[in-house]
Amino acid sequence: MPEENLAIDGGKPIRNKPLPDGNKFGREELRELTDVIDSGVMSRFGGTKVEQFENEFAGIHGAKYGIASSSGTASLHIAVGMLNPSPGDEIIVGPITDVGSVIPILAQTAIPIFCDVQRDTFNMHPEDIERKIRKKTKAIMAVHVFGNPCDMDAIMSIAKRHNLTVIEDCSQAHLSEYKGRLVGTIGDIACFSLQQSKHISCGDGGITITNNDDYGTRGKLFMDKGWDRSREGQPTYVIFAPNYRMNELSGAVALAQVRKMRNTVAQRRARGDLLSELCKNPYVVPQRVLDGCKHTYWLYAMQVKDDAPFTPEDFAAAMRAEGISCTPHFFGRPVFLSHEAVRDQRLFGNSRFPFDHPDANPVSYDENTAPNAQKVYDQMIVGYARPRVNQQWATQFLSEEDIHDIARAIKKVSRHLRTR
């Protein structure tokens, strides 16, 4: 069959080699790790690397406090711990997120309230945020999905009217920009993940930043079992808290990584923006970025439009045949349906705590909780370089030639599927 036909129909594929995924670690990390080994100090207390990392990361964001931790989930738990909610208090959060955004809310005996999303940006819809506010609402957790900034002007305006704290979940959004400001510098508290797939990584880790003295002081205690280390003598624990300390080996890698962050993000952004420019077509569209904002493409996501004459499954299968790995639907369902214990409200033994606490409002999670989020998942396509290990198209490792191949494949598949 002629070359112009789809590869899935026997035509010649766009690519015969996999997309590159690269290695973000190198000699810089080794030098910092060698310092730690030579020092003989692996704990953050007595070491220097974790504190250096905290200071440099916080400095980039103009934050007074940087609190490193053992994971992105831990960084969010520290943020919720800063708020110290009472049982039954509510925190509004987006439904398109990892369960790491939800675990900290429930672990602190608060209840996640899921607002719906804008179908084109995938981010929390400000109007639905406001509709979900009740007397028990304590905070809004603004999740910047895949590196695409939320509508922070609207969210901050809502928070101000209702006297709510705003936590920015920047786990997927290192150095994303909202109208000239870095995400994480707009709300009251911000959290970042350093998991393997993120823009910068130490394998697993996180950091929480804030300029609020009360939150910063409590956050440092919350990271360290509530231990007030300013008091001499025997340990004094002043609040109930977990142990989320980052060790010096992770801190060393994180320190080397944060010094690469600007270049890494610039490369991701340039390639992602180029792909969005090249792949314009009427049936498959990239995640919409608000005017004045800059995406950082932790994940490159597209959407098969409502009127497309093919399904996401058809599109993904044809793309894979062209040599471009991708998959439909991402997680498949909003987090409150994909996590069975959350959906069924069975978290602690046989109880329904905190959902059945006397101060809690009744809440249920079902297909009607966030219908737009389900539609987004139903039509979503995400790019993977190595789908078996969920390695995304890490756009800093893609050349312009790679980007042009992806765009050619998107156009070819969209054109031919339309006429099938």
Side-chain angles (χ1 to χ4, degrees), residues 35 81 208 292 332 377 402:
D35 286 348
T208 309
Y377 274 125
D402 296 327

Side-chain angles (χ1 to χ4, degrees), residues 274-294:
L274 176 61
L275 180 55
S276 293
E277 181 64 30
L278 292 173
C279 73
K280 290 179 179 177
N281 74 85
Y283 298 122
V284 181
V285 295
Q287 187 180 13
R288 184 173 74 89
V289 182
L290 297 177
D291 290 344
C293 296
K294 294 182 179 180

Side-chain angles (χ1 to χ4, degrees), residues 211-225:
N211 277 312
N212 182 291
D213 289 329
D214 291 336
Y215 290 157
T217 300
R218 185 174 175 87
K220 285 186 174 182
L221 292 168
F222 197 86
M223 170 269 294
D224 189 26
K225 300 187 288 189

Side-chain angles (χ1 to χ4, degrees), residues 290-341:
L290 297 177
D291 290 344
C293 296
K294 294 182 179 180
H295 203 308
T296 52
Y297 304 102
W298 171 70
L299 193 71
Y300 194 93
M302 301 168 285
Q303 213 176 21
V304 175
K305 295 185 71 174
D306 291 345
D307 59 351
F310 49 82
T311 67
E313 289 83 358
D314 294 335
F315 181 84
M319 286 287 287
R320 290 193 293 268
E322 298 296 335
I324 308 296
S325 295
C326 64
T327 189
H329 311 313
F330 193 47
F331 286 166
R333 293 184 295 173
V335 66
F336 55 82
L337 294 179
S338 62
H339 194 293
E340 293 181 5

Side-chain angles (χ1 to χ4, degrees), residues 229-300:
R229 292 179 182 265
S230 68
R231 301 187 188 185
E232 296 182 357
Q234 294 181 338
T236 302
Y237 301 98
V238 296
I239 63 171
F240 181 72
N243 176 3
Y244 283 145
R245 296 191 294 258
M246 177 182 281
N247 65 71
E248 279 289 279
L249 294 171
S250 296
V253 175
L255 178 60
Q257 286 275 293
V258 78
R259 291 168 179 171
K260 301 177 180 182
M261 184 164 62
R262 288 188 175 91
N263 286 337
T264 296
V265 167
Q267 290 171 325
R268 278 185 180 250
R269 179 177 288 139
R271 297 291 189 260
D273 285 349
L274 176 61
L275 180 55
S276 293
E277 181 64 30
L278 292 173
C279 73
K280 290 179 179 177
N281 74 85
Y283 298 122
V284 181
V285 295
Q287 187 180 13
R288 184 173 74 89
V289 182
L290 297 177
D291 290 344
C293 296
K294 294 182 179 180
H295 203 308
T296 52
Y297 304 102
W298 171 70
L299 193 71
Y300 194 93

Side-chain angles (χ1 to χ4, degrees), residues 28-29 41 64 66 83 95 116 123 138 159 194 217 233 236 241 254 260 316 341-342 348 358-359 402 416:
E28 300 90 345
E29 288 78 11
V41 179
K64 186 174 179 180
L83 301 183
D116 213 346
N123 280 326
K138 193 171 185 71
L194 305 174
T217 300
T236 302
K260 301 177 180 182
V342 173
F348 303 104
D359 292 336
D402 296 327
H416 283 271

Side-chain angles (χ1 to χ4, degrees), residues 152-169:
M152 291 305 297
D153 282 348
I155 290 172
M156 296 306 295
S157 177
I158 291 167
K160 184 177 180 180
R161 284 198 299 276
H162 297 275
N163 194 30
L164 301 175
T165 299
V166 174
I167 300 169
E168 291 187 70
D169 183 349

Side-chain angles (χ1 to χ4, degrees), residues 139-183:
I140 300 167
M141 185 182 289
V143 183
H144 302 293
V145 176
F146 303 156
N148 190 26
C150 294
D151 187 346
M152 291 305 297
D153 282 348
I155 290 172
M156 296 306 295
S157 177
I158 291 167
K160 184 177 180 180
R161 284 198 299 276
H162 297 275
N163 194 30
L164 301 175
T165 299
V166 174
I167 300 169
E168 291 187 70
D169 183 349
C170 308
S171 298
Q172 304 171 0
H174 296 67
L175 298 188
S176 295
E177 294 183 23
Y178 180 82
K179 298 183 179 180
R181 298 179 65 183
L182 294 177
V183 299

